[in-house]
Amino acid sequence: MKRNSTIFSNKKLVIANWKMNPGTMTEAKRMLSDIKKGLKGSRGVEVVIAPPFPFIYPLEKLASRSKIKFAAQDVFWEPKGSFTGEVSPKQVKEAGASYVIVGHSERRKMGETNQIISKKIMNASKEGLGVILCVGEDKRDPGGKYLSGLQSEIKESLSGISGGRLSTVIIAYEPRWAIGKSAAEAINADELHAMSIFIRKVLISNYGKGAGASVPIIYGGSAEPSNAKELSFDGINGFLVGHASLIPAQFLNIVSAVKS
Ligand code: PGA
């Protein structure tokens, strides 16, 4: 799929979601350095690392001569003020992030609603950040109600985003039943293909064929070296990788699988 009208390159994306790992800056630097070495000379895939907030700035400095980009794992919607513990879109941008992950299922579990997510997306997008919006069903029911749930998640989370702004958004389809498991328990290629078509239809019905057809859709939920190749087909623009991104060799294998 051509993605000329987005702010993103036409490359596939592989995003490392480190979550609240590793425990120390020393380890984080070592992981980055292993990834950097492994990527030397490799082209064709955009690699993004989403470390914990305090690691973004030092890692971005270390990575400066590589093509690796950085993402924050969350963001607040206000630009500044008395919001203890929160971080604004501008602040994550200043720290060196080009992207933010919004609406991850682990944050939704802590009470984040589509309305909150919508405000975060609007303000991060206005700041010029690429927004990785996570959506996905908890479980599947034989009647297919999970599809309407997923549709509402997409529509409500994007409610403040106009067709013009949609070019800053990436959809990360992450079925929650597949997160933190193993490749054997993840989605299979046929199911993912069907879901990518469903999500594309929702986007096109909301935004029309131009903007709706251009949004990158990536997959997350136990993406590992062993399933990355079969899940990397035309309608899927890359992966959001959790546990496998904590082992640089595994992460690099996923990047290679996406490239080939
Ligand atoms: P996982 O995590 O790869 O460990 O399933 C993905 C995610 O939570 O983004």
Side-chain angles (χ1 to χ4, degrees):
M1 170 127 353
K2 269 206 175 153
R3 291 195 274 118
N4 292 344
S5 52
T6 71
I7 61 164
F8 313 115
S9 68
N10 276 327
K11 291 178 189 167
K12 289 210 172 188
L13 274 160
V14 183
I15 304 170
N17 179 10
W18 285 359
K19 309 191 179 184
M20 207 171 74
N21 300 293
T24 66
M25 178 74 81
T26 310
E27 271 178 280
K29 286 184 173 169
R30 196 178 312 127
M31 284 161 70
L32 172 67
S33 137
D34 289 352
I35 292 172
K36 231 170 108 174
K37 270 188 231 142
L39 287 175
K40 263 218 171 101
S42 95
R43 279 187 207 126
V45 180
E46 169 127 316
V47 172
V48 180
I49 300 179
F53 280 133
F55 296 168
I56 295 176
Y57 183 74
L59 292 186
E60 204 269 338
K61 287 283 149 285
L62 262 186
S64 62
R65 261 178 285 137
S66 74
K67 296 229 166 70
I68 298 173
K69 301 252 173 71
F70 289 85
Q73 297 174 15
D74 188 27
V75 74
F76 195 57
W77 55 84
E78 293 289 348
K80 62 178 187 173
S82 305
F83 305 102
T84 303
E86 299 293 352
V87 180
S88 76
K90 196 179 183 70
Q91 288 161 345
V92 301
K93 201 172 161 188
E94 295 244 320
S98 318
Y99 296 88
V100 283
I101 297 173
V102 179
H104 190 277
S105 66
E106 286 150 17
R107 300 219 53 88
R108 290 180 188 263
K109 243 195 262 165
M110 293 178 209
E112 207 160 279
T113 61
N114 290 332
Q115 287 65 40
I116 292 174
I117 290 163
S118 157
K119 287 202 272 185
K120 292 184 172 186
I121 294 176
M122 270 192 285
N123 289 286
S125 165
K126 276 188 203 144
E127 194 53 54
L129 290 158
V131 177
I132 301 146
L133 164 63
C134 300
V135 294
E137 73 280 5
D138 282 322
K139 53 182 188 317
R140 296 193 165 188
D141 58 295
K145 280 213 190 89
Y146 70 94
L147 290 173
S148 49
L150 182 61
Q151 180 170 14
S152 320
E153 222 173 46
I154 298 171
K155 278 192 175 171
E156 289 172 20
S157 304
L158 292 178
S159 60
I161 292 288
S162 64
R165 283 233 168 269
L166 196 65
S167 61
T168 59
V169 175
I170 293 165
I171 301 281
Y173 170 59
E174 297 208 300
R176 300 198 246 291
W177 50 267
I179 292 179
K181 302 275 174 55
S182 67
E185 295 163 277
I187 205 162
N188 66 41
D190 288 343
E191 289 168 328
L192 183 57
H193 186 235
M195 292 311 291
S196 69
I197 292 171
F198 177 78
I199 293 168
R200 182 66 64 206
K201 278 192 183 150
V202 171
L203 292 167
I204 289 177
S205 87
N206 279 359
Y207 290 99
K209 278 200 181 132
S214 305
V215 179
I217 299 172
I218 63 174
Y219 171 75
S222 298
E224 291 182 355
S226 61
N227 62 359
K229 198 162 184 148
E230 77 162 293
L231 298 181
S232 179
F233 40 81
D234 252 5
I236 290 296
N237 301 106
F239 295 109
L240 180 53
V241 187
H243 61 271
S245 74
L246 297 175
I247 302 163
Q250 289 203 7
F251 183 68
L252 290 163
N253 278 337
I254 296 175
V255 174
S256 305
V258 167
K259 243 185 340 190
S260 55

